[in-house]
Amino acid sequence: MTAQPEPADLTLEQKASLLSGRDFWHTEAIDAAGVPSILLSDGPHGLRRQVAEADNLDVHDSISATCFPPSVAVGSSWDPEVAARVGTAIGREARAAGVSVVLGPGVNIKRSPLCGRNFEYYSEDPLLSGILATAYVRALQAEGAGASVKHFAANNQETDRMRISADVDERTLREIYFPAFERVVTEARPATVMCSYNRVNGVLASQNRRLLTEVLRDEWGFEGAVVSDWGAVNDRVAALAAGLDLEMPGTGGSGDAEIVVAVRNGELDEAVVDRSVRRVLALVRRAVPPGGDVDPDEQHRLAKEVAADCAVLLKNERETLPLARGAAVAVIGEFAVNPRFQGGGSSHVNPTRVDAALDAMRRLGGSVTYASGLADNAVEIAREADVAVVFAGLGETDESEGFDRETLDLPAAQVDLIKAVAAASGRTVVVLSHGGVVSLEGWHDDVDAVLDGWLLGQAGGSAIADLLFGITNPSGHLAESIPLRLQDNPSYLTFPGESGHTRYGEGVMVGYRYYETAEVAVRYPFGHGLSYTTFETGDLTVTATGDDTADVAVSVTNTGARAGKHVVQVYVATGAAPVRSPARELRAFTKVFLEPGETRRVELTLGRRAFAWYDIELSRWVVSPGEYTVQIGRSAARIVAETPITLAGDVIVRVLSLDSTVEEWFRHPVAGPELGELLAASLTGEQSRQAADSPDWLRMIASMPMRQFTKLMAYRGIELPDGSIPRLIELSKGRGDG
């Protein structure tokens, strides 16, 4: 490749042209300067590489590629290795197809189960999302292509997505909606970050300097290029000034012209243009030539292997599963022959092949009959079989990019079918396929087993068959809570918002954080997942390794007769922080494979952030001194071992002002005691007696700012020595803010 130029070697017009796409999928080339064009392509769970004349709205017009399990399924694996294997495989196909940037992964948090794009996201928890996405990005980029982590930030709905303002307080952004992005940026160094369509606190993400420069670059050290979501740019000059480097898709030169005019008129410093040009040139420079062979059959086998790690066994009464190889099995439901395996919208992959569960089950089982629904003898074959397996879920038209769902319910016809089959069959299994949470109410108690497949990619049908017959032991766990009612979700009253705003009034209480704190029952909690074997956890030890860190060790034993994988979930609970904290929060996890009877000692590290909360006054993470409880959970709702630990934490001595409350003044370790002495010395005997007779007086004025308190004292004839308050303020500054 010819050595690429520096911005000084290019004209202003050439530089501006590099900052927007040539078309829907390519960057602009400058042949005379030796700058080639590179190709960007969807998608997070498989390439959606389109032919040159296609645009991103024609989602089904793409070259065939392997469709791996979407992020909703990978999230349920709780396994960074699964995420990495998917990343490697997609990176391999990207290299072969000449794709330089893969648009993914999506790490937005599942605030509401109604979000139409939840199938593209991992979890309702930022730690789980961040760890899986980091593994994916590292693996994908090791193959040569760059990743584009998206959609930054607070893009948690599809309704009015190009205008809506996500109104989120700073602590909630820092603790819930930023951490997954932060982890990927700081640990995996993605080639690009994609901005979201929405506004954040009134400012479009595409021209939000605080997001794209102050947080992303200045705080997290991001060195790659910021690319717009397709069509997200409203004001090209404002976006560029805010830190958005590459506008996609191309605009036919109109955006370029706006940049040139702004520089010529003195409205935009050309140094800003040069800065973004360097980033785009670096993105082009990191592209590797197309190459490598891809075996579609091998990719398909990999897709099946990872899919099997993602399904969640929610319920299994009377040991209904696994199915006996010689059992008479009635398979019911259209999804058994025409599977739902991916979501709709820009991530839609044209698969190389698709496995149907019915075909795979017939290869494994001795007697398998099939009916598509009630009108096709479903009840009759269910009555005659040993076990009925009903395939149910949502269609692609029910959930997709571009719109949100209105209900959690399965279609009424499917609910009627499940109930009718369960009434006729001796034992009933339901296999679910869907991208967002569905309600299990109205039929859950009628069936014996529920296997939740979410969306498992093109090989999901054969993976499900292996799970049903016990060829594979289920090991998935829920990455999001399944509520009893939509109304129980903490975002229910404010999703999707009104008048152009959606208020994140639930704050940090998202998903299980709310359900566990408010003691709201759910059908199945975050982290839940069954196996065909059993595990026991014991001998938990927690050792402080500093003022704000600890090591955790716990023994896990496979007490059953089958080999299986177990997820060790470490939660931290505390009341030490002076802010409302969730009942517990996931702070570490790992997935281990154990043979029958095998015991393994699992060791995990809890870093500072495992115990920290974000202090909006200090604009930093703080670990409060006090007691913390480290818990091992089978889920967020089921704790099987716990032990307390006391941490020294951070000694924070806050700077006082006249706006600080009376309580803050008296609790200050330096100024407080002296203020008490000065006040006591200023009281007359009668005033002291009145204060002693009114023990609640301090509680009554605790929230009063010192400015008003001094006026009140003056009104009551109580005068502190001249200059004492300013002196105490300076004294508090002398100790600093920690």
Side-chain angles (χ1 to χ4, degrees):
M1 181 182 295
T2 305
Q4 290 186 8
E6 292 297 319
D9 301 324
L10 303 173
T11 67
L12 176 59
E13 288 76 9
Q14 288 175 320
K15 289 186 288 189
S17 72
L18 291 174
L19 303 183
S20 63
R22 184 185 74 194
D23 50 33
F24 267 92
W25 301 115
H26 295 84
T27 62
E28 186 59 79
I30 303 179
D31 295 333
V35 180
S37 172
I38 62 171
L39 172 64
L40 296 82
S41 175
D42 290 316
H45 57 271
L47 288 185
R48 188 171 74 88
R49 181 175 178 271
Q50 295 187 293
V51 293
E53 62 271 15
D55 63 50
N56 69 333
L57 298 179
D58 193 1
V59 296
H60 293 269
D61 185 7
S62 60
I63 297 170
S64 64
T66 311
C67 181
F68 293 92
S71 294
V72 62
V74 174
S76 293
S77 77
W78 285 63
D79 193 343
E81 183 179 350
V82 167
R85 295 181 75 189
V86 172
T88 295
I90 293 175
R92 189 179 300 123
E93 291 195 23
R95 174 76 184 275
V99 173
S100 296
V101 177
V102 176
L103 304 179
V107 298
N108 295 106
I109 297 301
K110 300 183 182 186
R111 178 187 176 225
S112 168
L114 294 180
C115 176
R117 211 168 180 178
N118 273 354
F119 63 87
E120 284 193 48
Y121 307 138
Y122 291 104
S123 176
E124 67 187 28
D125 182 81
L127 178 74
L128 181 55
S129 297
I131 288 177
L132 296 177
T134 296
Y136 172 97
V137 170
R138 281 175 170 164
L140 185 145
Q141 295 196 156
E143 297 298 316
S148 188
V149 60
K150 61 184 186 180
H151 309 85
F152 190 57
N155 182 186
N156 309 106
Q157 67 185 67
E158 294 298 285
T159 301
D160 201 20
R161 63 176 177 162
M162 300 191 78
R163 300 184 305 170
I164 195 74
S165 175
D167 298 341
V168 199
D169 69 90
E170 183 69 7
R171 181 185 166 214
T172 299
L173 283 172
R174 296 287 182 166
E175 295 189 18
I176 303 296
Y177 298 103
F178 280 0
F181 288 99
E182 180 183 5
R183 182 178 293 271
V184 176
V185 166
T186 58
E187 296 185 9
R189 300 173 64 87
T192 73
V193 168
M194 181 188 293
C195 81
S196 56
Y197 286 122
N198 55 285
R199 289 175 166 84
V200 178
N201 294 324
V203 181
L204 283 166
S206 62
Q207 54 197 61
N208 193 316
R209 177 177 173 77
R210 179 173 172 273
L211 288 180
L212 305 185
T213 297
E214 295 173 11
V215 173
L216 183 60
R217 296 194 184 279
D218 297 344
E219 293 188 30
W220 300 346
F222 178 63
E223 297 178 347
V226 174
V227 60
S228 73
D229 203 341
W230 266 231
V233 174
N234 183 50
D235 183 323
R236 185 63 189 102
V237 174
L240 184 61
L244 188 141
D245 304 305
L246 177 61
E247 178 183 13
M248 292 297 291
T251 59
S254 62
D256 307 346
E258 291 173 10
I259 293 172
V260 171
V261 170
V263 172
R264 300 282 191 224
N265 291 344
E267 299 171 9
L268 181 68
D269 191 336
E270 191 167 354
V272 174
V273 177
D274 292 347
R275 180 186 62 195
S276 287
V277 167
R278 289 190 186 94
R279 293 169 184 159
V280 173
L281 288 174
L283 180 65
V284 172
R285 191 177 299 119
R286 79 177 303 281
V288 296
D293 295 325
V294 175
D295 182 346
D297 292 334
E298 179 59 32
Q299 293 286 85
H300 186 80
R301 282 192 292 271
L302 173 60
K304 177 185 175 181
E305 290 177 11
V306 295
D309 276 332
C310 299
V312 183
L313 182 60
L314 296 176
K315 179 181 182 180
N316 191 24
E317 295 183 352
R318 300 192 290 164
E319 296 184 341
T320 298
L321 293 176
L323 301 174
R325 297 292 285 268
V329 180
V331 176
I332 299 164
E334 182 69 19
F335 284 161
V337 294
N338 293 306
R340 169 85 195 288
F341 58 91
Q342 65 175 320
S346 63
S347 67
H348 185 97
V349 177
N350 182 11
T352 58
R353 54 189 275 199
V354 178
D355 290 354
L358 179 61
D359 295 337
M361 292 176 71
R362 281 177 168 160
R363 289 193 294 269
L364 295 174
S367 173
V368 178
T369 56
Y370 171 72
S372 62
L374 280 169
D376 193 20
N377 303 319
V379 172
E380 179 181 339
I381 69 168
R383 184 177 294 113
E384 295 175 352
D386 297 320
V387 182
V389 181
V390 182
F391 284 75
L394 300 178
E396 192 168 317
T397 57
D398 296 319
E399 49 186 354
S400 170
E401 177 184 358
F403 58 87
D404 292 319
R405 296 162 59 197
E406 296 181 356
T407 179
L408 300 185
D409 296 337
L410 290 175
Q414 290 189 19
V415 174
D416 292 342
L417 174 63
I418 293 171
K419 293 177 69 68
V421 169
S425 177
R427 297 193 181 196
T428 303
V429 177
V430 173
V431 177
L432 293 172
S433 300
H434 55 101
V437 166
V438 295
S439 174
L440 280 58
E441 305 316 304
W443 57 267
H444 172 273
D445 295 345
D446 298 333
V447 304
D448 300 282
V450 181
L451 179 65
D452 201 333
W454 301 97
L455 301 176
L456 292 179
Q458 68 181 50
S462 55
I464 287 172
D466 283 358
L467 290 162
L468 290 173
F469 281 96
I471 308 301
T472 306
N473 194 345
S475 64
H477 290 252
L478 290 178
E480 53 193 302
S481 310
I482 301 179
L484 290 168
R485 309 181 309 155
L486 175 61
Q487 295 91 325
D488 294 335
N489 183 266
S491 71
Y492 174 70
L493 293 177
T494 55
F495 180 95
E498 57 191 22
S499 302
H501 293 262
T502 179
R503 183 174 59 85
Y504 286 46
E506 67 278 5
V508 300
M509 300 298 178
V510 175
Y512 74 89
R513 286 168 166 79
Y514 168 75
Y515 296 124
E516 293 306 308
T517 305
E519 299 182 350
V520 174
V522 296
R523 172 54 71 183
Y524 287 110
F526 173 87
H528 170 77
L530 302 178
S531 170
Y532 295 152
T533 189
T534 54
F535 301 94
E536 287 187 1
T537 300
D539 192 19
L540 170 64
T541 60
V542 181
T543 306
T545 55
D547 291 344
D548 52 15
T549 58
D551 285 341
V552 179
V554 65
S555 296
V556 181
T557 302
N558 182 343
T559 55
R562 292 173 178 262
K565 297 178 181 179
H566 177 68
V567 176
V568 179
Q569 304 172 38
V570 181
Y571 296 86
V572 172
T574 186
V579 292
R580 176 65 65 87
S581 300
R584 65 184 56 92
E585 296 180 272
L586 182 71
R587 291 312 194 205
F589 66 92
T590 190
K591 196 171 190 177
V592 295
F593 174 82
L594 297 172
E595 295 286 351
E598 181 182 0
T599 297
R600 181 175 301 181
R601 190 71 173 164
V602 177
E603 298 179 353
L604 293 164
T605 297
L606 296 178
R608 172 179 168 83
R609 286 282 285 271
F611 303 101
W613 59 282
Y614 192 82
D615 189 320
I616 61 174
E617 294 181 358
L618 299 180
S619 297
R620 54 171 264 195
W621 292 92
V622 170
V623 176
S624 297
E627 186 173 282
Y628 296 77
T629 302
V630 177
Q631 304 173 324
I632 305 298
R634 293 290 174 85
S635 69
R638 185 184 174 195
I639 302 303
V640 295
E642 64 180 23
T643 189
I645 183 174
T646 299
L647 296 177
D650 301 330
V651 178
I652 304 295
V653 181
R654 298 180 186 273
V655 175
L656 296 172
S657 72
L658 288 174
D659 292 323
S660 300
T661 66
V662 170
E663 181 178 27
E664 290 169 342
W665 272 82
F666 277 105
R667 287 190 175 183
H668 195 279
V670 178
E674 185 170 346
L675 176 63
E677 293 175 2
L678 292 172
L679 183 61
S682 301
L683 297 177
T684 65
E686 177 63 20
Q687 290 169 334
S688 296
R689 186 190 63 78
Q690 291 176 350
D693 291 342
S694 304
D696 290 336
W697 72 277
L698 185 57
R699 293 177 61 189
M700 294 172 59
I701 63 171
S703 62
M704 181 180 293
M706 180 56 72
R707 189 186 313 276
Q708 278 68 42
F709 181 62
T710 56
K711 293 178 181 179
L712 176 64
M713 289 192 298
Y715 175 76
R716 299 291 299 273
I718 303 171
E719 296 287 346
L720 295 176
D722 288 345
S724 59
I725 293 297
R727 182 177 60 80
L728 291 177
I729 290 176
E730 291 303 311
L731 184 62
S732 75
K733 292 179 181 179
R735 285 293 298 271
D737 62 1

